[in-house]
Amino acid sequence: MRTANVRTIVIWSLVALVAAVGWAVLALARGEDVSAAWMVAAALGSYAIGYRFYSKFIAYKVLKVDKTRATPAERLNNGIDFHPTDRRVLLGHHFAAIAGAGPLVGPVLAAQMGYLPGTIWIIVGVIFAGAVQDMVVLFFSTRRDGRSLGQMAREEIGPFGGAAALLAAFAIMIILLGVLALVIVNALAQSPWGTFSIAMTIPIALLMGFYLRVLRPGRVAEVSLIGVALLLFALIAGRWVAESSWADTFTLAPSTLVIWLVAYGFIASILPVWMLLAPRDYLSTFMKIGTILLLALGVVIALPTLKMPAVTDFASRGDGPVFAGSLFPFVFITIACGALSGFHSLISSGTTPKMIQKETQIRMIGYGSMLMESSVAIMALVAASIIDPGLYFAMNAPAGVIGTTVENASQVVGSWGYQISPADLAQAARDVEESTLLSRTGGAPTLAVGVSQIFSEVTGGSLKAFWYHFAIMFEALFILTALDAGTRVGRFMLQDTLGNVYRPFKNVSWKPGLVITSGIVCGLWGYFLWVGVHEPLGGINQLFPIFGISNQLLAAVALAVCTTLLVKSGRLKWAWVTAVPLAWDATVTLTASWQKVFSSDPKVGFFKQRQVFQDAIDRGEVLAPAKSMDDMRTVVTNSTVDGVLTAVLALLIIIVIVDATRVCVRHVRRPALSTLSETPYVESKIVAPAGLIPTREEKEEVARDAVGSGTSS
């Protein structure tokens, strides 16, 4: 035992040393080349320490997870939404559901401020805020029959603050789903390779679902091998299709993709969770994690240099071409997923608590999945930081700023202090077989260029175009899994809300309610997406500017609910675990909301932007990005709507926080007046490991259970 303790101390000391050296190099290096490998070292070392020590402390000391307590999946198993799911499959589902566009795109955009601010927020934020939120929400929702975040707020905070939380959560969910869907449409439009490969994941997932449910129950390893083999074949076949006579069949226009996405979202929302959603998310996780691991390995092998400065001048001036605003608060708004994301709280109180086998698995699935997503964000930041800064800004600055020619773009970017020649800009486009890379805004193309550069340095420069298009398709697959799970969660939220008025809706097995609410959710985000595809300044494009703020405001709701529940459940001394990140998130997000509403800079403030464009209309002048007077009026409308929505959402979140504070203070003063909606204890009959790899004791327990039940693994 003593030898084992010494070995453990040595191992964790080495992990801490690697992380500390990585942080020291990133923070202190100035003017010399810094390898991206140090960013990977700092991240992985910090993640390992955070999971081993901090998540264990929260799970067993603060939450006190109980392996003998039956979860909703066991007690309410209906084969549709409530279904005990193998921890490995559920880990894949949960990770795939939370890992949408955010961890891929946000860090790329935030690289405008330099690599250091984003690195600090991604790593520190996930350990002490994002992963904590996901795990604690999952725990409390599991203790409440898988209740949605808004419904938990209504039951635990009260009707006033709860109504504000319900309204804010559902509105934000529709915005998030619409934005995710728009990114998918932009990635897959006119891309037969990506469309074919992603379409094939649906029949593969159906096969995996029936394999585990009917043909070979419990054979997760077998179905994983089959699924991965078929997925790899689909990826390879996608390129064959793109170069064959079938290419036209899978070359879809944006409007056609919208129809298919809405239809898929509706079907995925109403089918039993074991049939399509869980196996498809589990399948996509292999590709997601596999690609990220290969990317990390590529960084270690190629040792690319971080070419973006640690901190750029835009961080202090706040006039960056990618997005306007100073480092504080906008880096923390731009990077949401990967550090702290309110969207995750909807998954943690949506599909996952209805599928988890044991409370002891909450640590691995809630905290562990978020660390996995944070690693994705770090690799995205690496990809954006290793390419030439001149190319980065040429790709991410709007055409209205840098023009449409490589000569003009080179001149403008050079005036910012980042030199790149017209020939280099043209060559970069030819390397990835694109006509141009100028103003490829949104982050996804920049990430693809960075990924292609890392992989091509390992496999050979001639494959850069292949890796670029592979990365574009990979991003679309990444995001689609968040869309289908998010739609199902939106259905749960609407059922919970309508159930307060008409009780049958609360029964998630009630088929009319299931179909009606799924149709409403898909119809709402589908409408905004359809308009956005047909009107470049309308629909979901209108709501895109408030995507980051709304997501972080939702995180404030989640952390407020968690803090309230910690206090009311007798864990007052541990309430700081969620109260501290709540204070930080509320400060950052409400500051950003204030600036977006009241700033006198038209690039930041919505109402100031409205005034500038309205004044131009009165003068008969057309300003970029508008191209006509109709566009000008659309910009005025969009600015007004975004400003009003930002103010309303911020007000709703303030109401939630104030009401939650009132409930906490009342409980501390008069605890007898507080009530909890926690489901009564029921003993669990399921035996399953807590972590991904079973301990020796868990293996013995599973074996004894198998013998006792007359089954074999």
Side-chain angles (χ1 to χ4, degrees):
M1 179 64 72
R2 186 175 302 167
T3 302
N5 287 339
V6 171
R7 184 169 61 247
T8 299
I9 292 172
V10 170
I11 290 173
W12 285 106
S13 297
L14 290 175
V15 171
L17 180 62
V18 169
V21 172
W23 279 115
V25 172
L26 294 175
L28 301 178
R30 292 292 183 272
E32 62 264 29
D33 290 343
V34 177
S35 171
W38 289 117
M39 190 183 295
V40 175
L44 295 182
S46 300
Y47 295 153
I49 293 171
Y51 184 80
R52 170 61 180 81
F53 298 100
Y54 195 50
S55 73
K56 186 176 182 180
F57 159 74
I58 296 174
Y60 292 97
K61 188 73 173 180
V62 178
L63 302 179
K64 297 182 179 177
V65 294
D66 185 356
K67 73 175 184 178
T68 70
R69 189 186 186 105
T71 63
E74 181 178 357
R75 292 184 291 101
L76 305 175
N77 185 3
N78 62 4
I80 299 175
D81 296 313
F82 292 90
H83 177 67
T85 304
D86 185 282
R87 70 198 185 284
R88 293 161 291 187
V89 176
L90 187 57
L91 176 68
H93 157 74
H94 186 81
F95 168 72
I98 65 173
L104 296 174
V105 174
V108 173
L109 302 180
Q112 166 183 266
M113 302 294 191
Y115 66 77
L116 188 57
T119 301
I120 294 173
W121 171 231
I122 290 170
I123 299 174
V124 177
V126 72
I127 291 172
F128 295 105
V132 173
Q133 171 206 254
D134 293 12
M135 178 170 67
V136 177
V137 170
L138 177 57
F139 171 79
F140 282 123
S141 180
T142 301
R143 284 281 177 100
R144 285 157 178 77
D145 287 344
R147 286 279 186 261
S148 67
L149 177 67
Q151 187 62 24
M152 286 196 293
R154 186 180 185 277
E155 293 173 353
E156 302 292 353
I157 296 177
F160 189 58
L166 279 168
L167 180 59
F170 187 72
I172 292 171
M173 172 60 100
I174 297 301
I175 294 172
L176 298 181
L177 290 175
V179 170
L180 291 174
L182 181 63
V183 176
I184 295 170
V185 169
N186 290 338
L188 292 184
Q190 312 302 327
S191 174
W193 181 9
T195 301
F196 173 83
S197 299
I198 288 176
M200 289 302 100
T201 63
I202 297 175
I204 295 172
L206 289 170
L207 171 64
M208 293 174 65
F210 279 99
Y211 193 96
L212 277 178
R213 175 83 172 187
V214 180
L215 300 178
R216 301 274 284 175
R219 303 289 182 171
V220 176
E222 288 181 16
V223 79
S224 299
L225 291 174
I226 294 171
V228 170
L230 292 174
L231 175 62
L232 292 175
F233 177 77
L235 294 176
I236 296 171
R239 196 178 194 193
W240 299 341
V241 167
E243 298 172 351
S244 73
S245 58
W246 289 9
D248 290 343
T249 304
F250 292 94
T251 304
L252 303 182
S255 56
T256 306
L257 280 169
V258 171
I259 296 172
W260 280 111
L261 280 177
V262 172
Y264 170 73
F266 178 79
I267 293 171
S269 178
I270 63 176
L271 283 181
V273 70
W274 59 265
M275 187 181 295
L276 176 60
L277 188 68
R280 190 187 176 285
D281 289 353
Y282 177 60
L283 175 66
S284 71
T285 296
F286 282 102
M287 181 180 173
K288 292 180 177 183
I289 293 300
T291 301
I292 294 303
L293 288 176
L294 288 176
L295 195 56
L297 183 62
V299 169
V300 173
I301 294 174
L303 296 176
T305 300
L306 295 171
K307 296 180 180 178
M308 187 68 73
V311 182
T312 68
D313 292 338
F314 296 125
S316 57
R317 296 205 310 260
D319 59 350
V322 180
F323 63 90
S326 57
L327 189 154
F328 179 88
F330 289 104
V331 159
F332 309 101
I333 299 299
T334 305
I335 299 177
C337 300
L340 171 65
S341 170
F343 175 74
H344 297 184
S345 68
L346 303 181
I347 303 298
S348 290
S349 61
T351 53
T352 307
K354 299 175 179 64
M355 301 162 65
I356 196 165
Q357 292 174 315
K358 308 291 289 184
E359 279 192 3
T360 46
Q361 296 171 354
I362 285 171
R363 178 190 176 202
M364 175 189 71
I365 294 170
Y367 201 97
S369 291
M370 185 54 185
L371 291 183
M372 290 161 60
E373 185 183 277
S374 187
S375 68
V376 175
I378 282 293
M379 295 315 303
L381 185 59
V382 167
S385 300
I386 64 166
I387 67 176
D388 189 291
L391 177 60
Y392 169 87
F393 285 107
M395 291 185 67
N396 289 282
V401 175
I402 63 171
T404 57
T405 66
V406 292
E407 291 78 13
N408 198 64
S410 173
Q411 183 178 359
V412 174
V413 171
S415 70
W416 298 333
Y418 302 101
Q419 304 299 324
I420 186 168
S421 69
D424 288 339
L425 287 173
Q427 185 61 47
R430 286 194 295 270
D431 287 343
V432 295
E433 297 179 6
E434 291 281 359
S435 58
T436 181
L437 288 177
L438 299 183
S439 300
R440 296 295 299 274
T441 57
T446 304
L447 173 61
V449 168
V451 169
S452 68
Q453 182 168 317
I454 293 172
F455 281 160
S456 64
E457 288 182 14
V458 176
T459 61
S462 60
L463 293 175
K464 184 173 285 189
F466 170 84
W467 290 120
Y468 172 84
H469 290 283
F470 170 83
I472 292 292
M473 186 270 298
F474 160 75
E475 293 170 48
L477 175 63
F478 218 102
I479 299 165
L480 186 59
T481 54
L483 181 69
D484 53 19
T487 300
R488 196 179 192 97
V489 170
R491 189 249 290 178
F492 292 149
M493 294 169 62
L494 191 56
Q495 284 181 282
D496 273 348
T497 303
L498 296 178
N500 295 319
V501 180
Y502 185 59
R503 289 201 63 80
F505 276 105
K506 279 191 178 293
N507 179 8
V508 294
S509 300
W510 186 49
K511 287 185 170 54
L514 184 152
V515 173
I516 291 170
T517 50
S518 295
I520 292 173
V521 172
C522 290
L524 286 172
W525 66 256
Y527 165 77
F528 286 114
L529 178 62
W530 178 267
V531 176
V533 164
H534 290 84
E535 298 180 20
L537 296 177
I540 197 60
N541 298 296
Q542 180 185 60
L543 302 176
F544 199 94
I546 64 173
F547 171 79
I549 285 180
S550 61
N551 191 23
Q552 298 303 69
L553 286 172
L554 185 56
V557 173
L559 290 167
V561 171
C562 290
T563 303
T564 304
L565 287 170
L566 285 173
V567 172
K568 291 179 65 176
S569 61
R571 301 174 174 91
L572 175 61
K573 67 177 180 178
W574 305 122
W576 59 266
V577 169
T578 53
V580 171
L582 168 61
W584 168 257
D585 182 55
T587 301
V588 169
T589 313
L590 293 176
T591 300
S593 299
W594 178 271
Q595 292 187 20
K596 296 300 286 185
V597 173
F598 296 108
S599 175
S600 59
D601 183 351
K603 294 181 179 180
V604 177
F606 289 127
F607 290 123
K608 184 61 177 180
Q609 182 185 67
R610 179 195 184 284
Q611 179 186 332
V612 168
F613 275 79
Q614 184 60 57
D615 291 345
I617 290 175
D618 296 338
R619 297 192 304 268
E621 183 181 350
V622 176
L623 304 177
K627 298 179 180 178
S628 66
M629 275 298 167
D630 286 340
D631 286 350
M632 292 288 290
R633 283 185 281 272
T634 299
V635 172
V636 169
T637 301
N638 290 355
S639 300
T640 305
V641 171
D642 288 341
V644 171
L645 277 177
T646 300
V648 170
L649 290 174
L651 180 60
L652 289 173
I653 270 58
I654 291 172
I655 290 172
V656 173
I657 294 174
V658 170
D659 212 19
T661 303
R662 176 189 62 81
V663 171
C664 291
V665 171
R666 186 186 66 179
H667 174 82
V668 172
R669 290 178 175 176
R670 304 179 69 181
L673 296 179
S674 297
T675 58
L676 282 173
S677 59
E678 186 171 291
T679 305
Y681 174 91
V682 174
E683 185 177 0
S684 175
K685 305 298 182 185
I686 293 178
V687 176
L692 196 62
I693 302 174
T695 63
R696 184 173 59 185
E697 293 79 8
E698 287 175 335
K699 289 179 180 178
E700 293 172 352
E701 188 178 11
V702 170
R704 288 195 300 270
D705 179 69
V707 172
S709 61
T711 62
S712 59
S713 57

